[in-house]
Structures are given as C-alpha cells and as structure tokens.
Amino acid sequence: MKEIKRNILLFAGTTEGRQLAEYLQEAGQPFVICVATDYGRDLLEDIWKMDHAGCMEVRQGRLDAAEMEQMLYELQPALVIDATHPYAVEVTENIRKACSNRAGLRLIRCLREPGAAYMPDVVHVPDVESAAAWLSSVPGNILVTTGSKELAAYTKIENYQQRIYARVLPSAEAVALCRSLGFEGRHIIAMQGPFSEEMNLVQLREYGCAYLVTKDGGAAGGFAEKMRAAQKAGVAAVVIDRPGSGEGVSLEEIKGQVKEWMDHEKR
C-alpha cells in the first residue's frame, strides 16, 4: 500500500482549527493535526470517524520547540498552519521557532477576529496576574471564565475559595487542578462552551457575582455573549486583553491560501 504524503501540519485546539480540519478533509487533502490534550482529541472524534479516505492523522500531547522541530523533521510538511488559541503565546512562539529552522517551510498563523468594542463597566488589564491584583482591591463574588491553566493566579485573592466561581472545561485534568488549588463544590463549574448570553446571565445571578473575568475570545469564544450578560446583570467585566498577535490572517483567508497551494501541488 502506497504511503500517504501528509504535506500539511495543523496545530489546532480552537474552533478555527476544527473548521480547517473539516475543510482539509472535505478537500481530500492528507494532513496531520496536533492537539495538546485528550479533551482536544475528543472534540475531533466525529470528524475523524467521517474520514473514510484516511486524510486525517491526529497527534495529541504538549510539545516544546525542540519536539516540534523533531516532528517537522519526521513529517517533512510543506505547509504548517497555527490555529491555536489567540492567547497561546508560548505555543505560537514555539511553532514559529521550530518552523524558522527549516528552509522553505511555509507557516500561516490563523488570527481570530477581536470581539466587541470597549463599553462601560469594563476593566481592561494586560494579563491574569493584573486581573487578580485588581480584584484583590474590590469586594464581591467573581465568575472566572479564563480556564484552569491560569487559575493559580487568583489564589492570591483573599478568601478566593469563597469569592471565586471557576468555569472550566469538563475534563478530569481541569477539575483535578481546580481541587488542587482549593476550589470545591459549587465553586467548580465544569462545562463546555461557548455559552449563550442567557446561560452567562443565569450563572452570574445564581452565584451573586459582581465581576466577570474573561479573555477576548472573539465570536468563536462567545465573548459578545459574556459582555452582554455582564451588562444585563449589572456586573463589571474584567477583560484580559490579547497579547501582541504579530502577523496572521483570517480563517477565510487561510482557506483561500490553502486552496491555492493545493491547486499548485496538483499541477
């Protein structure tokens, strides 16, 4: 049996990554898709099951720059697509470093459109540590929607175990991390988003929150729904602004570039 040449390496973990996987599969283009966690792999299961032509190979695990470079050496792709989360700065930098060491390798970074414009009752901070510092200066319950990986920063807030309600992915890893930090019971909200405006509003009211902490995840991350819910609930939104995003293109532009590349390869 002839070995399939997988010329595209896709780093995923976002809605855009999933959509690009579907696009490549429908186009019959063999590719390798990388996700960091078991949960990310599970989210691709239905696409994988529909892959009757064997286009898609899934690899799971967190990689540093050296491990990414080793994978590039193994796979010899012609095109790498970075569709990781807009806040995954370290991962994006590792991908860039690994690709820069291979001459002629093309790298495309997928940039998510930013969310809603600035609005009243919004506190903008540059990072999670700054959000925790600001919240330490005010009273009231807090709905934290920035995930489990950076949850440790909020443990510096006095009485955090009573004040904070952490909304995280419903994975064993995320829940275990919450518990290791001292969160228990109703203070762990393990649910899969994105969430509707109504769900955000219900949770803010249910837990008597005065603050909603979020990142600007754009439309795919349900950012506008969070902001509208905060406004309706009369709570302040603490928004962790995006880090410098560098160069990149939109999802639709990537699809266009990939199509041009595939057409060129077929000649």
Side-chain angles (χ1 to χ4, degrees):
M1 183 177 178
K2 184 180 179 182
E3 182 182 356
I4 298 176
K5 177 68 172 175
R6 303 187 190 279
N7 287 324
I8 295 180
L9 176 59
L10 170 60
F11 289 93
T14 59
T15 301
E16 290 85 356
R18 178 187 169 88
Q19 290 174 348
L20 284 168
E22 290 178 316
Y23 178 77
L24 291 170
Q25 187 188 89
E26 289 171 2
Q29 171 62 48
F31 67 101
V32 173
I33 183 168
C34 293
V35 294
T37 64
D38 289 333
Y39 187 76
R41 188 186 186 102
D42 291 343
L43 292 177
L44 297 170
E45 186 174 3
D46 58 333
I47 305 177
W48 200 1
K49 286 181 177 178
M50 295 296 291
D51 184 23
H52 304 303
C55 293
M56 179 177 174
E57 178 186 338
V58 182
R59 298 196 179 189
Q60 181 257 312
R62 299 186 190 279
L63 304 173
D64 59 24
E67 289 168 327
M68 289 178 183
E69 193 167 353
Q70 177 59 37
M71 184 166 60
L72 293 175
Y73 177 79
E74 173 199 341
L75 296 174
Q76 297 288 313
L79 177 63
V80 175
I81 303 173
D82 175 8
T84 58
H85 196 276
Y87 287 82
V89 179
E90 183 178 355
V91 176
T92 288
E93 179 60 18
N94 284 342
I95 295 170
R96 187 196 65 77
K97 284 181 180 178
C99 291
S100 67
N101 291 326
R102 299 197 64 81
L105 178 59
R106 184 177 176 187
L107 169 63
I108 308 175
R109 168 63 169 153
C110 181
L111 291 184
R112 181 178 292 178
E113 291 296 321
Y118 284 40
M119 53 189 283
D121 298 320
V122 177
V123 177
H124 288 269
V125 293
D127 50 40
V128 173
E129 289 73 21
S130 299
W134 187 87
L135 288 163
S136 293
S137 68
V138 293
N141 291 347
I142 307 159
L143 178 62
V144 172
T145 67
T146 52
S148 60
K149 288 197 297 182
E150 298 171 310
L151 197 56
Y154 300 101
T155 62
K156 297 176 182 177
I157 299 173
E158 188 176 359
N159 298 323
Y160 74 91
Q161 290 150 307
Q162 289 73 47
R163 292 186 60 194
I164 292 177
Y165 293 84
R167 194 166 77 189
V168 300
L169 290 173
S171 67
E173 179 185 18
V175 172
L177 179 56
C178 289
R179 286 180 172 156
S180 73
L181 294 172
F183 294 91
E184 291 291 346
R186 282 163 51 88
H187 292 266
I188 303 174
I189 308 169
M191 299 178 66
Q192 168 64 31
F195 299 91
S196 65
E197 178 183 332
E198 291 74 17
M199 178 59 77
N200 285 305
L201 184 57
V202 164
Q203 291 182 350
L204 287 169
R205 288 175 173 169
E206 172 67 21
Y207 303 115
C209 294
Y211 307 96
L212 166 69
V213 187
T214 181
K215 293 178 178 179
D216 181 357
F223 180 69
E225 288 79 3
K226 293 179 187 176
M227 299 298 279
R228 288 197 298 267
Q231 194 170 37
K232 280 189 177 180
V235 310
V238 180
V239 178
I240 299 168
D241 290 327
R242 293 185 182 185
S245 55
E247 297 181 355
V249 296
S250 70
L251 175 64
E252 292 308 313
E253 288 176 294
I254 286 184
K255 288 181 179 179
Q257 290 189 30
V258 169
K259 184 178 186 304
E260 289 179 5
W261 179 85
M262 290 190 296
D263 290 344
H264 181 268
E265 288 293 298
K266 292 175 183 177
R267 291 173 190 168

